[in-house]
Coordinates of all heavy atoms in Angstrom, one line a residue:
M1 N -148.4 33.3 -70.1 CA -148.2 33.1 -68.7 C -147.4 31.8 -68.5 O -146.5 31.9 -67.6 CB -149.6 32.8 -68.1 CG -149.6 32.8 -66.7 SD -151.0 33.7 -66.2 CE -150.8 34.1 -64.7
I2 N -147.6 30.8 -69.3 CA -146.7 29.6 -69.2 C -145.3 30.0 -69.6 O -144.3 29.5 -69.0 CB -147.3 28.5 -70.1 CG1 -148.6 28.0 -69.5 CG2 -146.3 27.3 -70.2 CD1 -149.3 27.0 -70.4
M3 N -145.2 30.8 -70.5 CA -143.9 31.2 -71.0 C -143.2 32.0 -69.8 O -142.0 31.8 -69.6 CB -144.0 32.1 -72.2 CG -142.7 32.5 -72.8 SD -142.0 30.9 -73.4 CE -141.5 31.5 -74.9
R4 N -143.9 32.8 -69.1 CA -143.3 33.6 -68.0 C -142.8 32.7 -66.9 O -141.8 32.9 -66.4 CB -144.4 34.5 -67.5 CG -144.0 35.9 -67.4 CD -145.0 36.7 -66.7 NE -145.3 37.9 -67.6 CZ -146.2 38.7 -67.3 NH1 -146.9 38.7 -66.2 NH2 -146.4 39.7 -68.1
S5 N -143.6 31.7 -66.6 CA -143.2 30.8 -65.5 C -142.0 30.0 -66.0 O -141.2 29.6 -65.1 CB -144.4 29.9 -65.0 OG -145.1 29.3 -66.1
K6 N -141.9 29.6 -67.3 CA -140.8 28.9 -67.7 C -139.5 29.8 -67.6 O -138.5 29.3 -67.3 CB -141.0 28.4 -69.2 CG -141.9 27.2 -69.3 CD -141.9 26.8 -70.7 CE -142.8 25.6 -70.9 NZ -142.9 25.1 -72.2
L7 N -139.7 31.1 -68.0 CA -138.6 32.0 -67.9 C -138.2 32.2 -66.4 O -136.9 32.2 -66.1 CB -139.0 33.4 -68.5 CG -139.0 33.4 -70.0 CD1 -139.5 34.8 -70.4 CD2 -137.6 33.2 -70.5
L8 N -139.1 32.3 -65.5 CA -138.8 32.4 -64.1 C -138.1 31.1 -63.6 O -137.1 31.2 -62.8 CB -140.1 32.6 -63.3 CG -140.6 34.0 -63.3 CD1 -142.0 34.1 -62.6 CD2 -139.7 35.0 -62.7
L9 N -138.6 30.0 -64.1 CA -137.9 28.7 -63.7 C -136.5 28.6 -64.2 O -135.6 28.2 -63.4 CB -138.8 27.5 -64.2 CG -138.3 26.2 -63.8 CD1 -138.3 26.0 -62.3 CD2 -139.1 25.1 -64.5
I10 N -136.3 29.1 -65.4 CA -134.9 29.0 -66.0 C -134.0 30.0 -65.3 O -132.9 29.8 -64.9 CB -135.0 29.4 -67.5 CG1 -135.6 28.2 -68.2 CG2 -133.6 29.6 -68.1 CD1 -135.9 28.4 -69.7
A11 N -134.6 31.2 -64.9 CA -133.8 32.2 -64.2 C -133.5 31.7 -62.8 O -132.3 31.9 -62.3 CB -134.6 33.5 -64.1
A12 N -134.4 31.1 -62.2 CA -134.2 30.5 -60.8 C -133.1 29.5 -60.9 O -132.2 29.4 -60.0 CB -135.5 30.0 -60.2
A13 N -133.2 28.6 -61.9 CA -132.2 27.5 -62.0 C -130.8 28.1 -62.3 O -129.8 27.7 -61.7 CB -132.6 26.6 -63.2
G14 N -130.7 29.2 -63.1 CA -129.5 29.8 -63.4 C -128.9 30.4 -62.1 O -127.7 30.4 -61.8
A15 N -129.8 31.1 -61.4 CA -129.3 31.7 -60.1 C -128.8 30.6 -59.1 O -127.8 30.8 -58.4 CB -130.5 32.5 -59.5
A16 N -129.5 29.5 -59.1 CA -129.1 28.4 -58.2 C -127.8 27.9 -58.6 O -126.9 27.6 -57.7 CB -130.2 27.3 -58.2
L17 N -127.6 27.7 -59.9 CA -126.3 27.2 -60.4 C -125.2 28.2 -60.0 O -124.0 27.8 -59.6 CB -126.3 26.9 -61.9 CG -127.1 25.7 -62.3 CD1 -127.2 25.6 -63.8 CD2 -126.5 24.4 -61.8
T18 N -125.4 29.5 -60.2 CA -124.4 30.5 -59.9 C -124.1 30.5 -58.4 O -122.9 30.6 -58.0 CB -125.0 31.9 -60.3 OG1 -125.3 31.9 -61.7 CG2 -124.0 33.0 -60.0
L19 N -125.2 30.4 -57.6 CA -124.9 30.4 -56.1 C -124.2 29.1 -55.7 O -123.3 29.1 -54.9 CB -126.3 30.5 -55.4 CG -126.9 31.8 -55.4 CD1 -128.3 31.7 -54.7 CD2 -126.1 32.9 -54.7
S20 N -124.5 28.0 -56.4 CA -123.8 26.8 -56.1 C -122.4 26.8 -56.4 O -121.5 26.4 -55.7 CB -124.5 25.6 -56.9 OG -123.8 24.4 -56.7
A21 N -122.1 27.5 -57.6 CA -120.7 27.6 -58.0 C -119.9 28.5 -57.0 O -118.8 28.2 -56.6 CB -120.6 28.2 -59.4
C22 N -120.6 29.6 -56.5 CA -119.9 30.5 -55.5 C -119.8 29.7 -54.2 O -118.7 29.8 -53.6 CB -120.8 31.7 -55.3 SG -120.8 32.9 -56.7
S23 N -120.7 28.9 -53.9 CA -120.7 28.2 -52.6 C -119.5 27.1 -52.7 O -118.8 27.0 -51.7 CB -122.0 27.5 -52.4 OG -122.0 26.9 -51.1
D24 N -119.4 26.5 -53.8 CA -118.3 25.5 -54.0 C -117.0 26.2 -54.0 O -116.0 25.7 -53.3 CB -118.5 24.7 -55.3 CG -119.6 23.8 -55.3 OD1 -120.1 23.4 -54.2 OD2 -120.0 23.3 -56.4
Q25 N -116.9 27.4 -54.6 CA -115.6 28.1 -54.6 C -115.3 28.6 -53.2 O -114.1 28.5 -52.8 CB -115.7 29.3 -55.6 CG -114.5 30.1 -55.6 CD -114.6 31.3 -56.6 OE1 -115.7 31.6 -57.1 NE2 -113.5 32.1 -56.7
H26 N -116.3 29.1 -52.5 CA -116.1 29.5 -51.1 C -115.6 28.3 -50.2 O -114.7 28.5 -49.4 CB -117.3 30.2 -50.6 CG -117.2 30.7 -49.2 ND1 -116.4 31.8 -48.9 CD2 -117.7 30.2 -48.0 CE1 -116.4 32.0 -47.6 NE2 -117.2 31.0 -47.0
A27 N -116.3 27.2 -50.4 CA -115.9 26.0 -49.6 C -114.5 25.6 -49.9 O -113.7 25.2 -49.0 CB -116.9 24.9 -49.9
Q28 N -114.1 25.7 -51.2 CA -112.7 25.3 -51.6 C -111.7 26.3 -50.9 O -110.7 25.8 -50.4 CB -112.6 25.3 -53.1 CG -111.3 24.8 -53.6 CD -111.0 23.4 -53.3 OE1 -111.9 22.5 -53.1 NE2 -109.7 23.0 -53.1
E29 N -112.0 27.6 -50.9 CA -111.1 28.6 -50.3 C -111.0 28.3 -48.8 O -109.9 28.4 -48.3 CB -111.7 30.0 -50.6 CG -111.5 30.4 -52.0 CD -112.2 31.7 -52.3 OE1 -112.8 32.3 -51.4 OE2 -112.2 32.2 -53.5
V30 N -112.1 28.0 -48.2 CA -112.1 27.7 -46.7 C -111.2 26.5 -46.5 O -110.4 26.5 -45.5 CB -113.5 27.6 -46.2 CG1 -113.5 27.0 -44.7 CG2 -114.2 28.9 -46.2
K31 N -111.4 25.5 -47.3 CA -110.7 24.2 -47.1 C -109.2 24.5 -47.3 O -108.3 24.0 -46.5 CB -111.2 23.2 -48.2 CG -110.5 21.9 -48.0 CD -111.1 20.9 -49.1 CE -110.4 19.6 -49.1 NZ -111.0 18.7 -50.1
E32 N -108.8 25.3 -48.3 CA -107.4 25.6 -48.5 C -106.8 26.4 -47.4 O -105.7 26.2 -47.0 CB -107.2 26.3 -49.9 CG -107.5 25.4 -51.1 CD -107.5 26.1 -52.4 OE1 -107.2 27.3 -52.4 OE2 -107.7 25.5 -53.4
G33 N -107.6 27.3 -46.9 CA -107.2 28.1 -45.8 C -106.9 27.3 -44.5 O -106.0 27.5 -43.8
A34 N -107.8 26.3 -44.3 CA -107.7 25.5 -43.1 C -106.4 24.6 -43.3 O -105.7 24.4 -42.3 CB -108.9 24.6 -43.0
K35 N -106.2 24.1 -44.5 CA -105.0 23.3 -44.7 C -103.7 24.1 -44.5 O -102.8 23.6 -43.9 CB -105.0 22.7 -46.2 CG -105.8 21.6 -46.4 CD -105.7 21.0 -47.8 CE -106.6 19.8 -48.1 NZ -106.4 19.3 -49.5
A36 N -103.7 25.4 -45.0 CA -102.5 26.2 -44.8 C -102.3 26.5 -43.3 O -101.2 26.5 -42.8 CB -102.7 27.5 -45.5
A37 N -103.4 26.8 -42.6 CA -103.3 27.0 -41.1 C -102.8 25.8 -40.4 O -101.9 25.9 -39.5 CB -104.6 27.5 -40.5
A38 N -103.3 24.6 -40.7 CA -102.8 23.4 -40.1 C -101.3 23.2 -40.4 O -100.6 22.7 -39.5 CB -103.6 22.2 -40.6
S39 N -100.9 23.5 -41.6 CA -99.5 23.3 -42.0 C -98.6 24.3 -41.1 O -97.6 23.9 -40.7 CB -99.3 23.5 -43.5 OG -98.0 23.5 -43.8
D40 N -99.1 25.5 -41.0 CA -98.4 26.5 -40.2 C -98.2 26.1 -38.8 O -97.2 26.2 -38.1 CB -99.0 27.9 -40.3 CG -98.9 28.5 -41.7 OD1 -98.1 28.0 -42.5 OD2 -99.7 29.5 -41.9
I41 N -99.3 25.5 -38.2 CA -99.3 25.1 -36.8 C -98.3 23.9 -36.7 O -97.6 23.8 -35.7 CB -100.7 24.7 -36.4 CG1 -101.6 26.0 -36.3 CG2 -100.7 23.9 -35.0 CD1 -103.1 25.7 -36.1
K42 N -98.4 23.0 -37.6 CA -97.5 21.8 -37.6 C -96.0 22.3 -37.6 O -95.2 21.8 -36.9 CB -97.8 20.9 -38.8 CG -97.0 19.6 -38.8 CD -97.3 18.8 -40.0 CE -96.4 17.6 -40.1 NZ -96.7 16.7 -41.2
D43 N -95.7 23.2 -38.5 CA -94.4 23.7 -38.6 C -93.9 24.4 -37.3 O -92.8 24.2 -36.8 CB -94.2 24.7 -39.8 CG -94.3 24.1 -41.1 OD1 -94.2 22.8 -41.2 OD2 -94.6 24.8 -42.1
A44 N -94.8 25.2 -36.7 CA -94.5 25.9 -35.5 C -94.2 24.9 -34.4 O -93.3 25.1 -33.6 CB -95.6 26.9 -35.1
A45 N -95.1 23.9 -34.3 CA -94.9 22.9 -33.2 C -93.6 22.1 -33.4 O -92.8 21.8 -32.5 CB -96.0 21.9 -33.3
H46 N -93.2 21.8 -34.7 CA -91.9 21.2 -35.0 C -90.8 22.1 -34.6 O -89.8 21.6 -34.0 CB -91.9 20.8 -36.5 CG -90.7 20.0 -36.9 ND1 -90.5 18.7 -36.5 CD2 -89.6 20.4 -37.6 CE1 -89.4 18.3 -37.0 NE2 -88.8 19.3 -37.6
Q47 N -90.9 23.4 -34.9 CA -89.8 24.3 -34.5 C -89.7 24.4 -33.0 O -88.5 24.4 -32.4 CB -90.1 25.7 -35.1 CG -89.9 25.7 -36.6 CD -90.3 27.1 -37.2 OE1 -90.8 27.9 -36.5 NE2 -90.0 27.3 -38.5
I48 N -90.8 24.4 -32.3 CA -90.7 24.5 -30.8 C -90.1 23.2 -30.3 O -89.3 23.3 -29.4 CB -92.1 24.7 -30.2 CG1 -92.6 26.1 -30.6 CG2 -92.2 24.5 -28.7 CD1 -94.1 26.4 -30.3
A49 N -90.5 22.1 -30.8 CA -90.0 20.8 -30.3 C -88.5 20.7 -30.5 O -87.8 20.1 -29.7 CB -90.7 19.7 -31.0
N50 N -88.0 21.3 -31.6 CA -86.6 21.2 -31.9 C -85.8 22.4 -31.3 O -84.6 22.4 -31.5 CB -86.4 21.0 -33.4 CG -86.9 19.7 -33.9 OD1 -86.7 18.7 -33.2 ND2 -87.5 19.7 -35.0
D51 N -86.4 23.3 -30.7 CA -85.7 24.5 -30.1 C -84.8 24.0 -29.0 O -85.2 23.4 -28.1 CB -86.7 25.5 -29.6 CG -86.1 26.8 -29.2 OD1 -85.0 26.8 -28.6 OD2 -86.7 27.8 -29.5
P52 N -83.5 24.4 -29.1 CA -82.5 23.9 -28.0 C -82.9 24.5 -26.7 O -82.7 23.8 -25.7 CB -81.2 24.5 -28.5 CG -81.4 24.9 -29.9 CD -82.8 25.1 -30.2
D53 N -83.5 25.7 -26.6 CA -83.9 26.2 -25.3 C -85.0 25.4 -24.7 O -85.0 25.2 -23.5 CB -84.3 27.7 -25.4 CG -83.2 28.6 -25.8 OD1 -82.0 28.2 -25.5 OD2 -83.4 29.7 -26.4
V54 N -86.0 25.0 -25.5 CA -87.1 24.2 -25.0 C -86.6 22.8 -24.6 O -87.0 22.3 -23.5 CB -88.2 24.0 -26.1 CG1 -89.2 23.0 -25.7 CG2 -88.8 25.4 -26.5
K55 N -85.6 22.2 -25.3 CA -85.1 20.9 -24.9 C -84.3 21.1 -23.6 O -84.4 20.2 -22.7 CB -84.2 20.4 -26.0 CG -84.9 19.9 -27.2 CD -84.0 19.3 -28.3 CE -84.8 18.7 -29.4 NZ -83.9 18.1 -30.4
E56 N -83.6 22.2 -23.5 CA -82.8 22.4 -22.3 C -83.7 22.6 -21.1 O -83.5 22.0 -20.0 CB -81.9 23.6 -22.4 CG -81.0 23.9 -21.2 CD -80.1 25.1 -21.5 OE1 -79.7 25.4 -22.6 OE2 -79.9 25.9 -20.5
A57 N -84.8 23.3 -21.3 CA -85.8 23.5 -20.2 C -86.4 22.1 -19.8 O -86.6 21.9 -18.6 CB -86.9 24.5 -20.6
G58 N -86.7 21.3 -20.8 CA -87.3 20.0 -20.5 C -86.3 19.1 -19.7 O -86.7 18.5 -18.8
T59 N -85.1 19.2 -20.1 CA -84.0 18.4 -19.3 C -83.9 19.0 -17.9 O -83.8 18.2 -17.0 CB -82.7 18.5 -20.0 OG1 -82.8 18.0 -21.4 CG2 -81.6 17.8 -19.3
A60 N -83.9 20.3 -17.8 CA -83.9 20.9 -16.4 C -85.0 20.5 -15.6 O -84.9 20.2 -14.4 CB -83.8 22.4 -16.5
I61 N -86.2 20.4 -16.2 CA -87.4 20.0 -15.4 C -87.3 18.6 -15.0 O -87.6 18.2 -13.8 CB -88.7 20.2 -16.3 CG1 -89.0 21.7 -16.4 CG2 -89.9 19.5 -15.7 CD1 -90.0 22.0 -17.4
K62 N -86.8 17.7 -15.9 CA -86.6 16.3 -15.5 C -85.6 16.1 -14.4 O -85.8 15.4 -13.4 CB -86.1 15.5 -16.7 CG -87.2 15.2 -17.8 CD -86.6 14.5 -18.9 CE -87.6 14.3 -20.1 NZ -87.0 13.6 -21.2
E63 N -84.5 16.9 -14.4 CA -83.5 16.8 -13.4 C -84.0 17.3 -12.1 O -83.8 16.7 -11.0 CB -82.2 17.6 -13.8 CG -81.4 16.9 -14.9 CD -80.9 15.5 -14.6 OE1 -80.5 15.3 -13.4 OE2 -81.1 14.6 -15.4
S64 N -84.7 18.4 -12.1 CA -85.2 19.0 -10.8 C -86.3 18.0 -10.2 O -86.4 17.9 -9.0 CB -85.8 20.4 -11.0 OG -86.9 20.4 -11.9
T65 N -87.0 17.4 -11.1 CA -88.0 16.4 -10.6 C -87.3 15.2 -9.9 O -87.8 14.8 -8.9 CB -88.9 15.9 -11.8 OG1 -89.5 17.0 -12.4 CG2 -89.9 14.9 -11.3
K66 N -86.3 14.7 -10.6 CA -85.5 13.6 -10.0 C -84.9 14.1 -8.6 O -85.0 13.3 -7.6 CB -84.4 13.2 -10.9 CG -84.8 12.4 -12.1 CD -83.6 12.0 -12.9 CE -84.0 11.3 -14.2 NZ -82.8 11.0 -15.0
E67 N -84.4 15.3 -8.5 CA -83.8 15.7 -7.3 C -84.8 15.9 -6.2 O -84.6 15.5 -5.1 CB -83.1 17.1 -7.5 CG -81.8 17.0 -8.3 CD -81.2 18.4 -8.7 OE1 -81.7 19.4 -8.1 OE2 -80.3 18.4 -9.5
A68 N -86.0 16.4 -6.6 CA -87.1 16.6 -5.6 C -87.6 15.3 -5.1 O -87.8 15.1 -3.9 CB -88.2 17.4 -6.3
A69 N -87.7 14.3 -6.0 CA -88.1 13.0 -5.7 C -87.1 12.3 -4.7 O -87.5 11.7 -3.7 CB -88.3 12.1 -6.9
G70 N -85.8 12.5 -5.0 CA -84.8 12.0 -4.1 C -84.9 12.6 -2.7 O -84.8 11.9 -1.7
E71 N -85.1 14.0 -2.7 CA -85.2 14.7 -1.4 C -86.4 14.2 -0.6 O -86.4 14.0 0.6 CB -85.3 16.2 -1.6 CG -84.0 16.8 -2.1 CD -84.1 18.2 -2.4 OE1 -85.1 18.9 -2.0 OE2 -83.1 18.7 -3.0
V72 N -87.5 14.0 -1.3 CA -88.8 13.5 -0.7 C -88.5 12.1 -0.1 O -89.0 11.8 1.0 CB -90.0 13.6 -1.6 CG1 -91.1 12.8 -1.1 CG2 -90.3 15.0 -2.0
A73 N -87.9 11.3 -0.9 CA -87.6 9.9 -0.4 C -86.7 9.9 0.9 O -87.0 9.2 1.8 CB -86.9 9.1 -1.5
D74 N -85.7 10.8 0.8 CA -84.8 10.9 2.0 C -85.6 11.4 3.2 O -85.4 10.9 4.3 CB -83.6 11.9 1.7 CG -82.7 11.3 0.7 OD1 -82.7 10.1 0.5 OD2 -81.8 12.1 0.2
Q75 N -86.4 12.4 3.0 CA -87.2 12.9 4.1 C -88.2 11.9 4.7 O -88.4 11.8 5.9 CB -88.0 14.2 3.7 CG -87.1 15.4 3.5 CD -87.8 16.6 3.0 OE1 -89.0 16.5 2.7 NE2 -87.1 17.7 2.8
A76 N -88.8 11.1 3.8 CA -89.7 10.1 4.2 C -89.0 9.0 5.0 O -89.5 8.5 6.0 CB -90.4 9.5 3.0
K77 N -87.8 8.7 4.5 CA -87.0 7.7 5.3 C -86.6 8.2 6.7 O -86.8 7.5 7.7 CB -85.7 7.4 4.5 CG -84.9 6.2 5.1 CD -83.6 6.1 4.4 CE -83.8 5.4 3.0 NZ -82.5 5.1 2.4
D78 N -86.2 9.5 6.7 CA -85.9 10.1 8.0 C -87.1 10.1 8.9 O -87.0 9.8 10.1 CB -85.3 11.5 7.9 CG -84.0 11.5 7.2 OD1 -83.3 10.5 7.2 OD2 -83.6 12.6 6.7
L79 N -88.2 10.5 8.4 CA -89.5 10.6 9.2 C -89.9 9.2 9.6 O -90.4 9.0 10.8 CB -90.6 11.2 8.4 CG -90.5 12.8 8.2 CD1 -91.6 13.2 7.2 CD2 -90.6 13.5 9.5
G80 N -89.7 8.2 8.8 CA -90.0 6.8 9.1 C -89.2 6.4 10.3 O -89.7 5.7 11.2
A81 N -87.9 6.7 10.2 CA -87.0 6.3 11.3 C -87.3 7.0 12.6 O -87.3 6.3 13.6 CB -85.5 6.6 10.9
K82 N -87.6 8.2 12.4 CA -88.0 9.0 13.6 C -89.3 8.5 14.2 O -89.4 8.3 15.4 CB -88.2 10.5 13.3 CG -88.4 11.4 14.4 CD -88.5 12.9 14.0 CE -88.8 13.8 15.2 NZ -88.9 15.2 14.8
A83 N -90.3 8.2 13.4 CA -91.6 7.6 13.8 C -91.3 6.3 14.5 O -92.0 6.0 15.5 CB -92.6 7.5 12.7
G84 N -90.5 5.5 13.9 CA -90.2 4.2 14.5 C -89.5 4.3 15.8 O -89.9 3.6 16.8
Q85 N -88.6 5.2 16.0 CA -88.0 5.4 17.3 C -89.0 5.9 18.3 O -89.0 5.5 19.4 CB -86.8 6.5 17.1 CG -86.0 6.7 18.4 CD -85.4 5.5 19.0 OE1 -84.9 4.6 18.2 NE2 -85.3 5.3 20.3
E86 N -89.8 6.9 17.9 CA -90.9 7.4 18.8 C -91.8 6.3 19.2 O -92.3 6.2 20.3 CB -91.6 8.6 18.2 CG -90.7 9.8 18.1 CD -91.4 11.0 17.4 OE1 -92.5 10.9 17.0 OE2 -90.7 12.0 17.2
A87 N -92.2 5.5 18.2 CA -93.1 4.4 18.6 C -92.4 3.4 19.5 O -93.1 2.9 20.5 CB -93.5 3.6 17.3
K88 N -91.2 3.2 19.4 CA -90.4 2.3 20.3 C -90.4 2.9 21.7 O -90.6 2.2 22.7 CB -89.0 2.1 19.7 CG -88.2 1.1 20.5 CD -86.8 0.9 19.8 CE -85.9 -0.1 20.5 NZ -84.6 -0.2 19.8
E89 N -90.1 4.2 21.7 CA -90.1 4.8 23.0 C -91.5 4.8 23.7 O -91.6 4.6 24.9 CB -89.6 6.3 22.9 CG -88.1 6.3 22.5 CD -87.7 7.8 22.2 OE1 -88.5 8.7 22.3 OE2 -86.5 7.9 21.8
A90 N -92.5 5.1 22.9 CA -93.9 5.1 23.4 C -94.2 3.7 23.9 O -94.9 3.5 24.9 CB -94.8 5.5 22.3
G91 N -93.8 2.7 23.2 CA -94.1 1.3 23.6 C -93.4 1.0 24.9 O -93.9 0.3 25.8
A92 N -92.1 1.4 25.0 CA -91.4 1.2 26.3 C -92.1 1.9 27.4 O -92.2 1.4 28.5 CB -89.9 1.7 26.1
D93 N -92.5 3.2 27.2 CA -93.2 3.9 28.2 C -94.5 3.2 28.6 O -94.8 3.1 29.8 CB -93.5 5.3 27.8 CG -92.3 6.2 27.7 OD1 -91.2 5.8 28.2 OD2 -92.3 7.3 27.0
L94 N -95.2 2.7 27.6 CA -96.5 2.0 27.9 C -96.2 0.8 28.7 O -97.0 0.5 29.7 CB -97.2 1.7 26.6 CG -98.5 1.0 26.7 CD1 -99.5 1.9 27.4 CD2 -99.1 0.7 25.3
K95 N -95.2 0.0 28.3 CA -94.9 -1.2 29.1 C -94.5 -0.9 30.5 O -94.9 -1.5 31.5 CB -93.7 -1.9 28.4 CG -93.4 -3.2 28.9 CD -92.3 -3.9 28.1 CE -91.9 -5.2 28.7 NZ -90.8 -5.8 27.9
K96 N -93.7 0.2 30.7 CA -93.3 0.6 32.0 C -94.5 1.0 32.9 O -94.7 0.6 34.0 CB -92.3 1.8 31.9 CG -91.8 2.3 33.2 CD -90.9 3.5 33.0 CE -90.6 4.2 34.3 NZ -89.8 5.4 34.0
D97 N -95.4 1.8 32.2 CA -96.6 2.3 32.9 C -97.5 1.1 33.3 O -98.1 1.0 34.4 CB -97.4 3.3 32.1 CG -96.7 4.6 32.0 OD1 -95.8 4.9 32.7 OD2 -97.1 5.4 31.1
A98 N -97.6 0.1 32.4 CA -98.4 -1.1 32.6 C -97.9 -1.9 33.8 O -98.6 -2.3 34.6 CB -98.5 -1.9 31.4
K99 N -96.6 -2.0 33.8 CA -95.9 -2.7 34.9 C -96.2 -2.0 36.3 O -96.5 -2.6 37.3 CB -94.4 -2.9 34.7 CG -94.1 -4.0 33.8 CD -92.6 -4.2 33.7 CE -92.2 -5.3 32.7 NZ -90.8 -5.5 32.6
Q100 N -96.0 -0.7 36.2 CA -96.2 0.1 37.5 C -97.7 0.0 37.9 O -98.0 -0.2 39.1 CB -95.8 1.5 37.2 CG -94.4 1.8 37.2 CD -94.0 3.2 36.9 OE1 -94.9 4.0 36.5 NE2 -92.8 3.6 37.1
G101 N -98.6 0.1 36.9 CA -100.0 0.0 37.2 C -100.4 -1.4 37.8 O -101.2 -1.5 38.8
A102 N -99.8 -2.4 37.2 CA -100.0 -3.8 37.7 C -99.5 -4.0 39.1 O -100.1 -4.6 40.0 CB -99.4 -4.8 36.8
A103 N -98.3 -3.4 39.4 CA -97.7 -3.5 40.7 C -98.5 -2.8 41.7 O -98.8 -3.2 42.9 CB -96.3 -3.0 40.7
E104 N -99.0 -1.6 41.4 CA -99.9 -0.8 42.2 C -101.2 -1.5 42.5 O -101.6 -1.5 43.7 CB -100.1 0.6 41.6 CG -99.6 1.7 42.4 CD -99.9 3.1 41.7 OE1 -101.1 3.5 41.7 OE2 -98.9 3.6 41.2
S105 N -101.8 -2.1 41.5 CA -103.0 -2.8 41.7 C -102.8 -4.0 42.6 O -103.6 -4.3 43.5 CB -103.6 -3.3 40.3 OG -103.9 -2.2 39.5
K106 N -101.7 -4.7 42.4 CA -101.4 -5.8 43.3 C -101.2 -5.4 44.7 O -101.7 -6.1 45.7 CB -100.1 -6.5 42.8 CG -99.8 -7.8 43.4 CD -98.6 -8.5 42.8 CE -98.3 -9.8 43.4 NZ -97.1 -10.4 42.8
K107 N -100.5 -4.3 44.9 CA -100.3 -3.7 46.2 C -101.6 -3.4 46.9 O -101.8 -3.7 48.1 CB -99.3 -2.5 46.2 CG -99.0 -1.9 47.5 CD -98.1 -0.7 47.3 CE -97.9 0.0 48.6 NZ -97.1 1.3 48.4
Q108 N -102.5 -2.7 46.2 CA -103.8 -2.3 46.7 C -104.6 -3.5 47.0 O -105.3 -3.6 48.0 CB -104.5 -1.4 45.7 CG -103.9 0.0 45.6 CD -104.6 0.9 44.6 OE1 -105.4 0.4 43.8 NE2 -104.1 2.1 44.5
L109 N -104.6 -4.5 46.2 CA -105.3 -5.7 46.4 C -104.8 -6.5 47.6 O -105.6 -6.9 48.5 CB -105.2 -6.7 45.2 CG -106.0 -8.0 45.2 CD1 -107.5 -7.7 45.4 CD2 -105.7 -8.8 44.0
N110 N -103.5 -6.5 47.9 CA -102.9 -7.1 49.0 C -103.3 -6.4 50.3 O -103.7 -7.0 51.3 CB -101.4 -7.2 49.0 CG -100.9 -8.3 48.0 OD1 -101.7 -9.3 47.8 ND2 -99.7 -8.2 47.5
E111 N -103.3 -5.1 50.3 CA -103.7 -4.3 51.4 C -105.2 -4.4 51.7 O -105.6 -4.4 52.9 CB -103.4 -2.8 51.2 CG -101.9 -2.5 51.2 CD -101.6 -1.0 50.9 OE1 -102.5 -0.2 50.6 OE2 -100.4 -0.7 50.8
A112 N -106.0 -4.6 50.7 CA -107.4 -4.7 50.8 C -107.8 -6.0 51.4 O -108.8 -6.1 52.2 CB -108.2 -4.5 49.5
T113 N -107.0 -7.0 51.2 CA -107.4 -8.4 51.6 C -106.7 -8.7 53.0 O -106.9 -9.8 53.5 CB -106.9 -9.4 50.6 OG1 -105.6 -9.3 50.3 CG2 -107.8 -9.3 49.4
K114 N -106.0 -7.9 53.6 CA -105.3 -8.2 54.8 C -106.3 -7.9 56.0 O -107.2 -7.3 56.2 CB -104.1 -7.3 55.0 CG -102.9 -7.7 54.2 CD -101.8 -6.9 54.6 CE -100.6 -7.2 53.9 NZ -99.4 -6.6 54.2

């Protein structure tokens, strides 16, 4: 019986070593596969970054962004000028209305006190 348990223990240890070796081999294969995939991705990214069409598209995007920013700035300046003019006109109208209102109030006050 002791002999049987020793044999079982030895068999179990052998099986564990075999599984461990397979597990190490599998881990190594996965590691190598991951390295290869990372290398492929790095190469693809490098190729994309150096692709003349991609560079041209990037330049076109930068230029159109600059143009759009310039147009927005021009429109903002025009709107600001227009708003300033409208505010000036509104101020003049308000001043005129205030003067007329004051003159009318003075006239009514004079008539009321006579």
